[in-house]
Amino acid sequence: MSDSTSIKTALLAQIQQLDPQDALLPSGHPEIDEAIAQLEPLTPIAQPLDSEHWSQLLGTWTLIYASRGTVVTRRINQPSSFELPKVQIQQVWQTLSSEAGQLLTENGAKLILPVLGSLKLLAHGVWTPTDDQTATVTFHKFVFQLTVSTLGWQLPQLTLPIPSFWQREATWITSYLDHNLRFGRGATGNLFVFVKDAPTQTLPSDGL
């Protein structure tokens, strides 16, 4: 077994041992962060944002670890003087696609709301590569959808375009990429670990 394979196997095992909520909320796991740092220089694709490698990059990736949480998860379950039911994180994902030579991103999260149901949040944006690993990310639209499970209601999606003067840029570094694992680093050093979802299989039609 190669060094990269053994480090990758150990890293995924460490993450799987975490409570799924803990893995996505701000918390300290230095042994996981160290394994990420060890694996980054062993990436099989050193230029992940080169269009030659987009076939590996594009698709839906599920977030399984965030060293300092995410924009969404950092804001939930913060300490309060009131004992409130906790919001649960069901899934956080990122879908990358291409259109007219651009890299498009859809960052999504699904939260379970106590008593009420669930809330799906989507942020649509564009990656603008500045080198073969780094991109400037700009979001131009948010989408919200609430499901009230107690009543069996799924409310219509609410779409909120972001005016250009409110749009902010963020730096995103893809520091590791292989066929099913990807690391991202934010400008502040936050570490993100994604695993690639299996492609959706289209079943053959039976003529009905």
Side-chain angles (χ1 to χ4, degrees), residues 8-30:
K8 176 178 174 178
T9 300
L11 169 65
L12 293 175
Q14 288 175 309
I15 293 174
Q16 287 172 355
Q17 290 173 3
L18 297 177
D19 179 279
Q21 305 296 305
D22 188 37
L24 300 179
L25 293 170
S27 54
H29 299 287

Side-chain angles (χ1 to χ4, degrees), residues 46-51 129-134 174:
Q47 300 172 321
L49 300 191
D50 188 308
S51 58
T130 56
D131 61 36
D132 290 334
Q133 282 194 322
T134 307
T174 300

Side-chain angles (χ1 to χ4, degrees), residues 91-102:
Q91 186 183 13
V92 179
W93 68 92
Q94 187 176 69
T95 298
L96 299 174
S97 60
S98 64
E99 182 178 313
Q102 282 190 313

